[in-house]
Amino acid sequence: MDIKKLQTLVVDALEDVKGQDIAVFETSHLTSLFDRIAIVSGTSNRQTKALAASVRNKVKDAGGDIIGMEGEDTGEWVLVDLGDMIVHIMQAPIRAYYRLEEIWGDTPVKLGAAKRAPKKAAGDEPKKVSGHLAASKANVEATPVIEKKAPAKKAAAATTAAKKAPAKKATTSKAVGKTVKVAPTKTEAAAVKALKALPEKKVRAPRAAKPAADAAPAKTVIKRIKKVEA
C-alpha cells in the first residue's frame, strides 16, 4: 500500500474515535524499518483500545497488512505495527513521560497533506461566492474628483487675515516694556483713609525777618501837644 494512502487511513481512523493531539512524523532518514510514525493521546484505557481497534479495522478493510499489536491488555500504551508505519496510542501522562516526539519528531508531516482531496462529481457546479466579500466584488473604476476652487472674495479674505496675524504679534511684543499700574492693597487703602480723616494743621505765618545789625536804627518822632488854656 502507498505510504500516503496508509497515513491517510490512520489519521481518519484516529479522528473517528476523537483521538487527541495527533502527530505524524517522517522517519525514513532515521531508520530503514519504517517510513512513518504516528502518535496520538487517549483519555482512558477504553479510548486507547478503541483507537487501536479503529486503526486495525480501517487498514484491514482497505487491504493493508497488520503486522502486530501490543499493549491492549493494559491500555496505557498500545502499539499498532503496520509495516511501513507505526502507530503509538498513549495516555497523556505516558506520552509526556517518554517524549517520543523528541526522538522521532525531526520531520513532522502536515495532516492536511495526508488526507486525500475529495473528487468532484461530473455535474458539480462551482460554489457561489457571497457578494459581501471584498474579493468577490468586481473592481469599480475610480472616477476622478474635481476640486472646486474657492471664490476670489474668500481667497482675498484669507490672505488679508493671514497678513494681519503677524501684526498682532508685533503689538503684543511692544507691550512688554510698558509699566503696568497695580491696584493698592487693602492695608494701603486703609492707611490712606486714616490720614485723610486727621484734622488739618494750621499753617503759621512766617516770622518777620530780624533787622540786620548794620542797619541804622529807626528814628522816632515825638510831637508835642499844646495844652489848651482854660
Side-chain angles (χ1 to χ4, degrees):
M1 184 182 293
D2 184 18
I3 187 62
K4 290 184 179 181
K5 184 179 179 180
L6 180 60
Q7 71 184 10
T8 302
L9 290 172
V10 171
V11 171
D12 290 342
L14 295 175
E15 288 181 347
D16 291 344
V17 193
K18 297 181 180 180
Q20 299 179 356
D21 299 332
I22 302 171
V24 180
F25 303 102
E26 184 180 354
T27 58
S28 58
H29 62 289
L30 297 176
T31 180
S32 58
L33 299 176
F34 44 86
D35 296 334
R36 297 285 189 278
I37 184 172
I39 304 173
V40 64
S41 298
T43 57
S44 61
N45 296 349
R46 182 178 296 179
Q47 188 181 13
T48 54
K49 294 178 182 179
L51 288 167
S54 177
V55 172
R56 178 189 60 199
N57 296 336
K58 202 145 195 171
V59 172
K60 271 188 177 181
D61 294 342
D65 297 330
I66 307 298
I67 307 300
M69 294 180 65
E70 298 179 4
E72 285 184 302
D73 298 335
T74 58
E76 294 181 353
W77 183 356
V78 182
L79 185 145
V80 182
D81 187 359
L82 304 175
D84 293 336
M85 188 170 182
I86 305 295
V87 182
H88 293 274
I89 305 169
M90 313 168 71
Q91 293 187 16
I94 303 297
R95 182 175 181 176
Y97 180 78
Y98 286 98
R99 299 179 182 177
L100 297 181
E101 289 88 342
E102 296 182 1
I103 302 172
W104 305 105
D106 187 12
T107 308
V109 177
K110 294 182 179 180
L111 297 180
K115 295 183 178 181
R116 293 175 296 175
K119 295 181 180 179
K120 292 183 180 180
D124 289 345
E125 296 180 357
K127 293 182 179 180
K128 294 182 180 180
V129 183
S130 58
H132 70 277
L133 297 176
S136 62
K137 293 182 179 179
N139 295 328
V140 180
E141 295 182 358
T143 57
V145 178
I146 301 172
E147 297 181 356
K148 295 182 179 180
K149 294 184 178 180
K153 292 183 179 179
K154 291 184 179 180
T159 52
T160 52
K163 289 180 180 179
K164 290 181 180 179
K168 291 182 180 179
K169 292 183 179 178
T171 54
T172 53
S173 61
K174 288 181 181 179
V176 176
K178 293 181 179 180
T179 57
V180 181
K181 293 183 179 180
V182 181
T185 60
K186 292 182 178 180
T187 55
E188 292 177 353
V192 172
K193 286 183 180 180
L195 290 173
K196 289 180 179 180
L198 292 175
E200 296 182 357
K201 292 182 180 180
K202 294 183 179 180
V203 181
R204 293 180 182 178
R207 293 181 182 178
K210 293 181 180 181
D214 297 339
K219 294 180 180 181
T220 56
V221 179
I222 300 171
K223 291 182 179 181
R224 291 180 182 181
I225 302 170
K226 291 180 180 182
K227 292 181 181 181
V228 179
E229 292 180 1

